[in-house]
Amino acid sequence: MASTFKPILFLLLSIYTFSPVSSHQHHPLDPLTPSEFNLVRTIVEKSFPNPNPYNLTFQYIGLDEPDKPTVLSWLSNPASKPPPRRAFVITRMERKSHEIMVDLSARSIVSNKVYNGHGYPLLTSNEQVVAATKLPQKYKPFIESIKKRRLNFSDVVCSTYSIGWFGEVKSKRVLKLLCFYKEGTVNLYLRPLEGITLVVDLDEMKIVEYFDRFIIPVPKAEGTEYQASKQKPPFGPRLNGAAFVQPNGSGFKIDGHTVRTNEELIIMPYASGKGRGRTQPFADCPSNAVFLDAYYAASDGTPVKTSNTFCIFERYAGDIMWRHTELGIPNEIITEVRPEVSLVVRMVATVGNYDYVLDWEFKPSGSIKFGVGLTGVLEVKGATYTHTDQVKEDIHGTLLSENTIGVYHDHFLTYHLDLDVDGKDNSFVKNNLETIRVTDGSSPRKSYWTVVSETAKTESDARINLVSKPSELVVVNPNKKTKIGNNVGYRLIPGPVTHALLSYDDYPQIRGAFTNNDVWVTPYNKSEKWAGGLFTDRSRGDDTLAVWSLRNRKIENEDIVMWYTIGFHHVPSQEDFPVMPTLSGGFELRPTNFFERNAVLKTRAISRVHLPNCTTRP
Ligand SMILES: *[C@@H]1O[C@H](CO)[C@@H](O)[C@H](O)[C@H]1NC(C)=O
Ligand SMILES: *[C@@H]1O[C@H](CO)[C@@H](O)[C@H](O)[C@H]1NC(C)=O
Ligand SMILES: *[C@@H]1O[C@H](CO)[C@@H](O)[C@H](O)[C@H]1NC(C)=O
Ligand SMILES: *[C@@H]1O[C@H](CO)[C@@H](O)[C@H](O)[C@H]1NC(C)=O
Ligand SMILES: *[C@@H]1O[C@H](CO)[C@@H](O)[C@H](O)[C@H]1NC(C)=O
Ligand SMILES: [Cu+2]
């Protein structure tokens, strides 16, 4: 392994892979610590008059990642002074969004500018859950509507939904409330109070619009429970206990925010991502997993700990890393097999009714697999229908149960893959697989196929629509070659292809135009980080990947970023009710002429583990 190992640097979403750094040193990409969050809050609050009359709220506080060249130069000499720690802050006050840069070392504000563009910052859980969803409780017209439906007010709960943008010239910072009935179930999303919509102005924190358009039955509670304690017999299927046992301990170590494997192949400081969630030990992750906490800022700027946000574990699922049986040698049979054990970093993000299981799987072969699992509860709308025979119109969904339509919808997850393949300057190569006709009679064959390589010069050459033609997409380092002369590279192995189905001029698609292609490549730019822009709430699509890419910048032999979108068109089915079994997607980045040979050739087989209570069938 050591002879084929090359230092490799990947900056992937929030997971980073690096060449070795000294263990005791703070890594420049370490997330903000609780005391740093507090320091940010103090510095920002102090910069405004006291007592603060503005009702300042913190919509976001996070590390302002140092520029990549700064991180790289520190990595080449980790004993040197680390770059200054900075925080990026978005606040709301007096109906304005501020972007503030705080220098934590100097304890000062570097810049503070009012954001004048379209869209609004991340919503805080305080303004959604604590404030907005409580407003209907005292809103007379809403109380009347519940009475009119003969429902028990104490069983009504409301939930927040962003409102989008449909071409309005002026927009306000508002969100929509939809309400549900939790009588007899905890699966509130399956009991919508159809016909009622409330609009809340977040700056005034009051209801500004109210609609009660029609009354239809609330879908019944029966059959919607998913809690184990509420299920009635017969139960099943039974899951026998299962575990991956490592009698000699695990193969990786966590040191601060750095994970080291005993192969020294993967070393990665991790930082907490956006999104909220926590994992449940022994259910979300196997029993050999290690759990890690994370912090985010509450709306008053104080750090909030989320326990068990990530888990890290080695996975042995009985799969084969490589094998061969040789039958061609007379009087001899050779079989060599190596089992696959990989390192998985997992996070579960709960976004309203859905849960997303996000996996980063690092294989000893050098491959990195990105997985996403969708589960949770469907978004449904109430209806009068109790059988499909009654349906004579397009209901934009599937009748899942009486009075319940699971609506057609999409999920898109865009990955920002800041690949540095053995150095920062890389190129994006399309190895197109092309059919060649044999016309000169040189062979009895009529055709064959071959690879025609094409290096993308500018961004427009790298907008990839995967169905168009078969090609292998490789990020190479044009300045580094293997001993025998191939450019070192990593290849993208896409998952199932899913294109956006809305027309390009439709408002949601304008805002989500980063899904117009499956793959994009842009030059590295620190401020182009989120494919949908920074101020996404009510955005107008003027700060998306699709717009940045229009500049058609040079991407050959540059520091480049590849963007890949995993998409799902979800046509709900009855099995998704009342809680849906995980639907999975993903993609892989696989070394391609990166190593001199199979990097796991010399892996030793794992030995069989005997447990006193284990029995195997004869
Ligand atoms: C600040 O909040 C208080 C209490 O919620 C409210 O009475 C006051 O009007 C708010 N001030 C501004 C400037 O929004
Ligand atoms: C309404 O809910 C409360 C609290 O669960 C309960 O005590 C009451 O009996 C319910 N009333 C009706 C009419 O269901
Ligand atoms: C554990 O380590 C010992 C000593 O290196 C070795 O003999 C043994 O085979 C290992 N056990 C397993 C299950 O790998
Ligand atoms: C980086 O991206 C931002 C946003 O697209 C743009 O305004 C800025 O000019 C870019 N910087 C460079 C050096 O290209
Ligand atoms: C293992 O077997 C022993 C002896 O039969 C028994 O006492 C013990 O409870 C078993 N342990 C487990 C975890 O099943
Ligand atoms: Cu879905």
Side-chain angles (χ1 to χ4, degrees):
M1 179 72 73
S3 64
T4 55
F5 170 68
K6 286 181 189 180
I8 159 175
L9 175 116
F10 276 101
L11 298 148
L12 305 169
L13 266 180
S14 334
I15 306 292
Y16 304 90
T17 312
F18 283 109
S19 50
V21 298
S22 73
S23 64
H24 51 275
Q25 184 98 37
H26 246 291
H27 194 284
L29 298 178
D30 277 356
L32 296 181
T33 63
S35 61
E36 285 175 324
F37 275 110
N38 283 320
L39 187 56
V40 170
R41 177 175 53 91
T42 312
I43 293 167
V44 172
E45 280 179 349
K46 263 201 192 135
S47 71
F48 295 102
N50 205 7
N52 171 13
Y54 299 116
N55 293 353
L56 167 79
T57 58
F58 291 86
Q59 309 295 130
Y60 176 80
I61 303 180
L63 177 74
D64 174 51
E65 291 177 6
D67 271 332
K68 198 155 138 188
T70 315
V71 178
L72 292 177
S73 92
W74 178 84
L75 276 171
S76 64
N77 179 15
S80 64
K81 195 167 170 255
R85 294 279 285 173
R86 282 184 169 192
F88 177 62
V89 182
I90 301 177
T91 61
R92 279 294 287 182
M93 42 192 159
E94 294 195 302
R95 295 164 186 271
K96 290 193 177 78
S97 304
H98 287 248
E99 294 177 80
I100 305 172
M101 203 68 81
V102 176
D103 187 321
L104 288 159
S105 323
R107 297 177 174 246
S108 64
I109 289 184
V110 179
S111 63
N112 177 352
K113 57 176 194 240
V114 173
Y115 172 71
N116 287 316
H118 297 305
Y120 301 101
L122 290 178
L123 301 158
T124 66
S125 76
N126 192 61
E127 62 192 350
Q128 294 180 80
V129 182
V130 182
T133 62
K134 299 292 187 300
L135 294 173
Q137 287 172 5
K138 296 201 176 113
Y139 190 69
K140 289 226 168 65
F142 181 73
I143 298 169
E144 279 309 307
S145 297
I146 300 304
K147 233 184 237 162
K148 215 163 62 186
R149 285 169 173 75
R150 298 171 190 282
L151 299 174
N152 195 339
F153 201 78
S154 63
D155 282 325
V156 174
V157 284
C158 299
S159 185
T160 55
Y161 294 81
S162 59
I163 246 168
W165 174 70
F166 298 92
E168 305 87 69
V169 179
K170 283 187 85 170
S171 45
K172 288 167 96 181
R173 192 163 176 261
V174 289
L175 54 67
K176 190 166 70 177
L177 295 180
L178 299 178
C179 304
F180 304 89
Y181 201 48
K182 69 173 175 58
E183 181 269 328
T185 184
V186 294
N187 201 341
L188 55 111
Y189 296 110
L190 294 186
R191 305 202 72 194
L193 301 185
E194 211 57 60
I196 300 177
T197 312
L198 304 99
V199 178
V200 175
D201 183 317
L202 289 168
D203 290 319
E204 295 181 30
M205 200 42 83
K206 71 175 200 210
I207 293 165
V208 289
E209 281 180 80
Y210 183 71
F211 305 93
D212 181 355
R213 290 177 307 223
F214 53 85
I215 299 182
I216 55 167
V218 177
K220 54 185 194 298
E222 192 194 334
T224 63
E225 259 299 346
Y226 50 80
Q227 296 174 103
S229 60
K230 297 286 160 65
Q231 304 301 335
K232 295 187 182 77
F235 296 106
R238 197 182 122 193
L239 305 174
N240 287 335
F244 168 36
V245 181
Q246 299 179 292
N248 286 357
S250 80
F252 67 94
K253 280 203 191 80
I254 299 175
D255 174 10
H257 289 92
T258 301
V259 181
R260 287 191 165 76
T261 70
N262 54 18
E263 302 281 356
E264 288 286 323
L265 182 65
I266 295 161
I267 299 174
M268 48 172 194
Y270 64 86
S272 57
K274 277 186 181 180
R276 205 149 293 162
R278 61 189 58 189
T279 53
Q280 289 282 331
F282 315 121
D284 279 330
C285 314
S287 49
N288 59 323
V290 174
F291 293 84
L292 303 164
D293 303 332
Y295 292 87
Y296 70 93
S299 59
D300 64 358
T302 54
V304 181
K305 179 174 166 175
T306 57
S307 301
N308 304 333
T309 308
F310 290 95
C311 68
I312 301 185
F313 56 93
E314 281 163 287
R315 169 152 72 201
Y316 173 53
D319 291 333
I320 294 166
M321 180 195 264
W322 63 262
R323 88 180 302 286
H324 181 61
T325 293
E326 183 50 67
L327 298 170
I329 302 171
N331 308 322
E332 207 175 349
I333 297 176
I334 297 168
T335 298
E336 287 288 324
V337 194
R338 300 292 180 275
E340 176 101 299
V341 179
S342 57
L343 183 72
V344 179
V345 179
R346 176 171 295 168
M347 179 183 150
V348 180
T350 299
V351 185
N353 46 318
Y354 260 93
D355 295 73
Y356 294 87
V357 183
L358 301 161
D359 279 2
W360 292 266
E361 180 181 2
F362 299 88
K363 291 177 182 277
S365 63
S367 263
I368 305 176
K369 279 182 96 166
F370 300 77
V372 55
L374 270 55
T375 176
V377 180
L378 283 176
E379 182 160 350
V380 301
K381 64 179 177 188
T384 53
Y385 303 119
T386 54
H387 193 280
T388 56
D389 286 350
Q390 300 155 353
V391 181
K392 303 282 183 255
E393 54 171 345
D394 183 356
I395 56 171
H396 314 289
T398 309
L399 193 64
L400 297 176
S401 171
E402 288 179 11
N403 308 119
T404 310
I405 296 170
V407 289
Y408 304 144
H409 62 276
D410 296 315
H411 302 259
F412 290 107
L413 291 95
T414 298
Y415 287 73
H416 169 274
L417 303 161
D418 184 353
L419 290 139
D420 285 15
V421 178
D422 208 2
K424 112 179 148 42
D425 292 332
N426 290 174
S427 295
F428 179 71
V429 176
K430 293 181 274 185
N431 285 327
N432 300 319
L433 312 186
E434 295 191 356
T435 305
I436 311 286
R437 286 291 294 181
V438 178
T439 51
D440 61 0
S442 63
S443 157
R445 293 268 301 272
K446 302 272 194 251
S447 71
Y448 62 97
W449 66 263
T450 192
V451 175
V452 179
S453 290
E454 189 186 338
T455 301
K457 307 270 185 250
T458 63
E459 289 174 283
S460 64
D461 299 332
R463 291 182 203 132
I464 307 291
N465 204 303
L466 285 168
V467 285
S468 58
K469 56 178 165 183
S471 59
E472 293 208 328
L473 304 171
V474 196
V475 173
V476 301
N477 186 329
N479 316 299
K480 297 268 175 71
K481 290 187 193 313
T482 57
K483 276 190 198 125
I484 55 166
N486 291 308
N487 280 125
V488 301
Y490 254 74
R491 156 166 126 247
L492 171 74
I493 301 181
V497 174
T498 314
H499 294 295
L501 291 170
L502 302 179
S503 44
Y504 286 173
D505 63 348
D506 193 7
Y507 293 104
Q509 194 59 32
I510 292 170
R511 303 176 66 225
F514 51 88
T515 62
N516 290 356
N517 295 300
D518 304 304
V519 179
W520 309 69
V521 177
T522 57
Y524 170 82
N525 176 328
K526 190 181 142 182
S527 62
E528 293 177 357
K529 190 166 177 186
W530 309 106
L534 185 59
F535 292 86
T536 43
D537 178 36
R538 310 219 67 198
S539 68
R540 300 187 182 187
D542 47 20
D543 183 28
T544 70
L545 172 56
V547 172
W548 311 330
S549 169
L550 286 175
R551 278 181 276 171
N552 204 17
R553 293 159 288 185
K554 187 175 169 287
I555 53 169
E556 188 181 7
N557 201 8
E558 297 279 340
D559 187 2
I560 54 175
V561 172
M562 179 163 68
W563 305 76
Y564 179 80
T565 296
I566 300 177
F568 299 87
H569 296 306
H570 195 169
V571 177
S573 69
Q574 285 189 245
E575 291 80 1
D576 298 343
F577 182 95
V579 65
M580 79 183 247
T582 303
L583 185 64
S584 302
F587 66 100
E588 183 173 346
L589 292 173
R590 185 175 168 101
T592 300
N593 302 320
F594 185 83
F595 295 109
E596 292 294 339
R597 59 170 184 191
N598 180 347
V600 286
L601 175 72
K602 297 191 183 184
T603 310
R604 276 180 296 215
I606 52 176
S607 34
R608 185 167 175 184
V609 176
H610 291 277
L611 292 177
N613 293 33
C614 267
T615 55
T616 47
R617 288 197 187 96

